[in-house]
Amino acid sequence: MRIPLKKINRALKKRFGGRVQAVVERGVLVLRGSAEDWDGVVAAGRLAASPKSRWYTVNEVTWPGAAQRQPKPVPQTDESLAGRAPDVLLIGAGVTGAAIARELMRRNVDLLWVEKEHDVALHASSRNDGMVHPGVDLHKGTAKYHYNRLGNRMYGGVCAALGVPFRRTGQYLCFKGRAMRPLLYFTLPYWKWLGLSGVRVLGDKALHAAEPGVDEALHCGLLFPQAGIVCPYGLTIAMAENAVQNGAHLSLDTCVTGMDVENGRILAVHTNRGTVRPRIVINAAGVFCEDIAQMAQDHFFSIHPRKGTNAILDKKAKRMVRTIYSGMGTTATKTVHSKGGGIVSTVDGNVLVGPDAVETPEKEDFSTSVQSVRATFEKQRHAAPALRESDIITYF
């Protein structure tokens, strides 16, 4: 697809006064220059690309705070992996890496699997709400839509095979005003076209019978039965254990530090535990996947991390939610730059509330704040007025 370079540069000049420019290199849109702060870097990316863009974008815009960021120290070095030449080197032991490892071990592959942390699932794969999404907000023709649908259908079978708790709870989107109910029926053909079968419209009585904790001001809703809940780190651990039991060599505290590339082929991968020479390299490094891609001379995208705060409530708060729900038309859902979020019944019998969405330049920024917790509760209280911060037992 043709990249509208002149249009993008006009927008960048208007915002940054010529300090940021866009060029096209090898079919990829590349942003270079300097911004006043991290928010400016993110703003440049948004001016150059959107979820509907059909081109790849690399954001190399700098900002003053970038020089102060210190990389995480490389774990202790040794030569325990030196000389290994596996069929596959898999980088990253989150839920995606664990799923790949499990599938590869069905095929008698010599797999070396490396993870820079001291255990699996220590980043996003343990720091989420455990919701299995039905794909309500996705668009046909996108890769996310395609894989979300396939993955959603697979959860029941995968979790049963691994002995991981999973519940197909369904998700409720709730609306104010009884007049909304007849309008919701007009949306049913759209959900069917989107591939979401069994979507139902619920009136006042049916909605509050299903979820007694929903605000009385919410008079109707849509039920998406494909939604579910799972323990995210439990699933990752189970898949990782299954892969290792079937022969995968998992090397923890192992950091990829560089690669030797020639004519588009990776010849060697350097780690803090020695140099390996795999036939194939699979990049499942999460938010660090762009760094790995850059080592492989395949840097065609950038990641701008966002973090969101979730709160876990005491089990006595279970009265507020049986499934997953949120109020439509509130601050929980109408903000464009938001994680949306909702109120979730976890597989452990607790209630989870969140998340919000905060831009961060740090890919390992797991900090929380009182402001984020309170903002999360405020936006979800539109759907569940009984929410109390005093019920929180932890947040992350």
Side-chain angles (χ1 to χ4, degrees):
M1 172 174 281
R2 177 179 170 273
I3 299 175
L5 187 60
K6 290 183 179 179
K7 180 180 178 181
I8 291 170
N9 271 318
R10 283 196 299 268
L12 291 171
K13 186 175 182 179
K14 182 177 180 181
R15 169 63 173 80
F16 295 98
R19 290 182 292 115
V20 175
Q21 296 85 33
V23 297
V24 176
E25 297 179 356
R26 302 182 306 279
V28 175
L29 183 70
V30 181
L31 303 178
R32 293 196 178 99
S34 61
E36 64 279 6
D37 53 25
W38 173 250
D39 289 338
V41 176
V42 175
R46 288 196 191 143
L47 287 172
S50 74
K52 295 182 180 180
S53 300
R54 297 296 181 181
W55 56 86
Y56 295 111
T57 304
V58 172
N59 192 341
E60 296 182 352
V61 176
T62 62
W63 57 288
Q68 303 171 14
R69 296 164 61 193
Q70 298 297 320
K72 186 176 179 179
V74 173
Q76 185 175 355
T77 61
D78 58 43
E79 293 295 312
S80 58
L81 298 180
R84 287 288 305 270
D87 295 328
V88 177
L89 173 67
L90 173 59
I91 304 170
V95 67
T96 301
I100 292 170
R102 179 171 179 262
E103 288 301 312
L104 286 175
M105 297 320 298
R106 297 171 181 263
R107 292 162 172 79
N108 194 29
V109 169
D110 178 14
L111 172 64
L112 174 58
W113 184 16
V114 298
E115 165 58 47
K116 71 182 184 66
E117 300 294 343
H118 64 271
D119 205 347
V120 304
L122 290 190
H123 284 203
S125 298
S126 61
R127 302 170 188 269
N128 63 82
D129 60 13
M131 179 180 173
V132 177
H133 288 263
V136 174
D137 57 347
L138 303 183
H139 303 284
K140 272 192 173 183
T142 63
K144 189 173 183 179
Y145 168 84
H146 174 74
Y147 288 110
N148 187 88
R149 289 188 69 208
L150 291 176
N152 182 291
R153 295 170 184 172
M154 293 170 64
Y155 264 90
V158 170
C159 290
L162 294 171
V164 175
F166 168 69
R167 290 170 50 207
R168 187 76 68 176
T169 59
Q171 175 188 8
Y172 293 87
L173 298 184
C174 311
F175 297 81
K176 284 187 176 182
R178 291 182 176 84
M180 281 293 300
R181 182 179 177 184
L183 298 178
L184 295 180
Y185 285 99
F186 287 102
T187 70
L188 294 181
Y190 171 75
W191 304 121
K192 185 176 181 180
W193 172 80
L194 199 60
L196 302 179
S197 59
V199 180
R200 291 170 49 203
V201 176
L202 287 83
D204 201 324
K205 290 183 179 180
L207 176 61
H208 289 92
E211 285 291 357
V214 168
D215 189 351
E216 292 182 359
L218 297 170
H219 301 107
C220 55
L222 289 168
L223 168 61
F224 296 88
Q226 296 90 350
I229 52 175
V230 71
C231 176
Y233 52 87
L235 177 59
T236 307
I237 292 169
M239 290 193 294
E241 288 179 340
N242 186 249
V244 171
Q245 288 166 354
N246 286 316
H249 178 183
L250 174 59
S251 181
L252 300 171
D253 292 315
T254 304
C255 183
V256 174
T257 57
M259 297 183 185
D260 295 339
V261 182
E262 185 178 298
N263 297 325
R265 181 177 176 82
I266 299 171
L267 301 181
V269 178
H270 306 290
T271 80
N272 61 304
R273 298 189 182 278
T275 297
V276 298
R277 300 181 182 278
R279 293 175 57 196
I280 296 172
V281 177
I282 298 178
N283 181 1
V287 290
F288 288 95
C289 62
E290 66 167 321
D291 302 88
I292 299 298
Q294 191 166 16
M295 292 179 190
Q297 299 179 12
D298 191 28
H299 192 203
F300 61 92
F301 62 97
S302 293
I303 290 179
H304 293 162
R306 282 193 295 166
K307 64 174 182 175
T309 298
N310 285 307
I312 301 288
L313 309 190
D314 189 275
K315 289 185 179 180
K316 65 184 179 183
K318 180 71 174 177
R319 65 190 182 280
M320 285 187 296
V321 59
R322 296 173 179 172
T323 59
I324 305 164
Y325 65 81
S326 58
M328 295 297 293
T330 70
T331 54
T333 55
K334 67 185 180 182
T335 304
V336 174
H337 187 55
S338 167
K339 290 291 287 181
I343 303 162
V344 180
S345 171
T346 72
V347 291
D348 298 309
N350 296 87
V351 174
L352 184 146
V353 182
D356 61 347
V358 179
E359 298 285 354
T360 172
E362 303 293 341
K363 293 180 178 179
E364 295 179 305
D365 180 2
F366 305 130
S367 61
T368 58
S369 69
V370 172
Q371 292 80 4
S372 285
V373 173
R374 289 178 176 169
T376 298
F377 267 69
E378 182 60 29
K379 77 174 186 177
Q380 300 302 345
R381 204 170 273 125
H382 290 280
L387 281 176
R388 297 195 304 265
E389 291 179 37
S390 59
D391 287 331
I392 296 175
I393 58 175
T394 190
Y395 45 85
F396 59 92

